[in-house]
Amino acid sequence: RMPVADPASDRRQRASAAFSLSFLSLAFSITAFSSSYWCEGTRKVAKPFCTGQSKGDDCISFNSPDSNSSNAVQYIWETGDDKFVERKFHAGIWYSCEEIVSEGGEKCRSFISLTPAGDRGVLWLSIVAELLYIILILIGAILMSVEMCYYSTVIDGLKINAFSAVITVLAGLLGMVAHMMYTTVFQMTVNLGPEDWRPHTWDYGWSY
């Protein structure tokens, strides 16, 4: 004779699995929102002149043996793309960071300050939408935890499950809209942003 499954136990297991997935979604959303890896790419920067003992492909050297003399005529053999070096950068809602080739490390600036003034309203709408997206996911996770821990009847459990599902779907739609608004702002910043920031190539990062 096959053992009869307990319906209450099955419902609790399904609610536990749904809560676990919702909690992971909440953790990933908060991590992505606070990170600066929404977009990644490279930026072309003119090579500096080599100073002192520095040599290599990241600076332009002179053909004069006395490069520190102001009277020495400087001849630069590099032309075209050889005058530039590509630096990696990554940007998010809050910060945009660019690597420093000569010194190592990164230099970060506020992405909001880089955004053209006419597009900052859209960026703030994107931030508000992202916050609402996280709040809705949190509400969905709380409802799923309520379903997992306590409900008096099967009907009550189904009502809570349905409401949490609706909240989760609304959160996904809101998050998609927020991402689209950020993409629009980023593209406008690429075209109209400061000259010393505009990337040469870029693509979406892991947190997007």
Side-chain angles (χ1 to χ4, degrees):
R1 184 178 179 180
M2 296 294 294
V4 180
D6 184 7
S9 178
D10 290 342
R11 289 195 300 271
R12 192 167 287 106
Q13 289 179 357
R14 288 195 295 269
S16 178
F19 172 77
S20 300
L21 293 175
S22 181
F23 181 79
L24 283 176
S25 177
L26 178 64
F28 288 149
S29 299
I30 294 175
T31 303
F33 181 66
S34 59
S35 76
S36 60
Y37 285 87
W38 286 48
C39 297
E40 299 176 284
T42 59
R43 194 173 75 83
K44 275 190 174 183
V45 180
K47 293 181 181 178
F49 293 117
C50 296
T51 57
Q53 301 296 323
S54 61
K55 294 182 180 179
D57 296 331
D58 296 331
C59 62
I60 299 176
S61 58
F62 311 122
N63 71 335
S64 170
D66 187 11
S67 60
N68 294 324
S69 173
S70 58
N71 297 323
V73 180
Q74 300 172 358
Y75 295 97
I76 302 173
W77 294 103
E78 301 192 24
T79 58
D81 288 341
D82 293 337
K83 290 183 180 180
F84 298 92
V85 60
E86 290 188 348
R87 292 182 179 176
K88 295 181 181 179
F89 84 97
H90 53 90
I93 289 180
W94 306 109
Y95 293 102
S96 176
C97 299
E98 179 181 311
E99 70 173 344
I100 304 175
V101 178
S102 58
E103 302 176 5
E106 292 182 334
K107 177 183 71 174
C108 296
R109 290 183 284 180
S110 170
F111 182 74
I112 297 175
S113 65
L114 297 172
T115 306
D119 297 310
R120 288 179 185 171
V122 180
L123 180 61
W124 282 111
L125 283 176
S126 173
I127 293 174
V128 171
E130 286 288 340
L131 288 173
L132 291 175
Y133 160 66
I134 293 174
I135 291 172
L136 288 177
I137 291 181
L138 176 61
I139 293 174
I142 292 173
L143 290 173
M144 291 176 186
S145 66
V146 170
E147 180 191 5
M148 179 180 61
C149 298
Y150 171 79
Y151 56 85
S152 57
T153 63
V154 177
I155 299 300
D156 291 341
L158 291 175
K159 288 180 180 179
I160 295 174
N161 188 278
F163 191 62
S164 63
V166 171
I167 291 294
T168 304
V169 171
L170 289 177
L173 293 174
L174 192 60
M176 181 177 63
V177 172
H179 280 54
M180 291 174 62
M181 286 191 292
Y182 175 81
T183 302
T184 301
V185 172
F186 186 85
Q187 290 176 343
M188 293 301 295
T189 307
V190 170
N191 296 326
L192 304 175
E195 291 285 349
D196 63 343
W197 176 84
R198 296 181 189 178
H200 178 63
T201 60
W202 66 275
D203 202 350
Y204 298 112
W206 63 265
S207 60
Y208 185 88

